Amino acid sequence: MISIRADYFAQLQSLAPAIPEPTSTLTTYQLQNFDASQAQQILNEAAKIDALSLQPELIKALVNDLEHDGLVRPAELQIVASRLKAVKSNSPVLL
């Protein structure tokens, strides 16, 4: 599995014939932006998986900061979640 920006998508054709039809709708999935509720749920689940204690107020504030026109971009959410994981400690991450 790979993730690639839309402006580089056409370059996946260079992987053929090693990967048959690399840009086919059968082998690709376009990830859509998340609404605020989905983004909060994703952060909650990621925190549980990583044993990271995040206050609900912090999650809500993070999502509010990332939200543009009611939506959160997956890449931005991933960057924030990765950074939170990197600073993970035994104490809760506070707002």
Side-chain angles (χ1 to χ4, degrees), residues 37 39 44 48 70:
S37 175
N44 275 319
K48 285 180 190 174

Side-chain angles (χ1 to χ4, degrees), residues 1-69:
M1 179 185 299
I2 64 167
S3 174
I4 190 168
R5 291 181 3 190
D7 50 337
Y8 291 104
F9 183 74
Q11 293 180 13
L12 288 176
Q13 284 298 334
S14 66
L15 299 174
I19 298 175
E21 301 182 47
T23 57
S24 164
T25 57
L26 298 175
T27 59
T28 60
Y29 178 79
Q30 184 176 5
L31 185 60
Q32 302 297 318
N33 293 333
F34 305 119
D35 64 31
S37 175
Q38 290 170 318
Q40 287 179 19
Q41 182 180 357
I42 290 165
L43 282 177
N44 275 319
E45 290 298 318
K48 285 180 190 174
I49 290 168
D50 293 330
L52 182 61
S53 178
L54 299 179
Q55 294 178 326
E57 297 85 11
L58 175 61
I59 290 175
K60 188 171 184 174
L62 290 169
V63 169
N64 285 341
D65 285 348
L66 294 173
E67 196 172 356
H68 302 282
D69 297 325

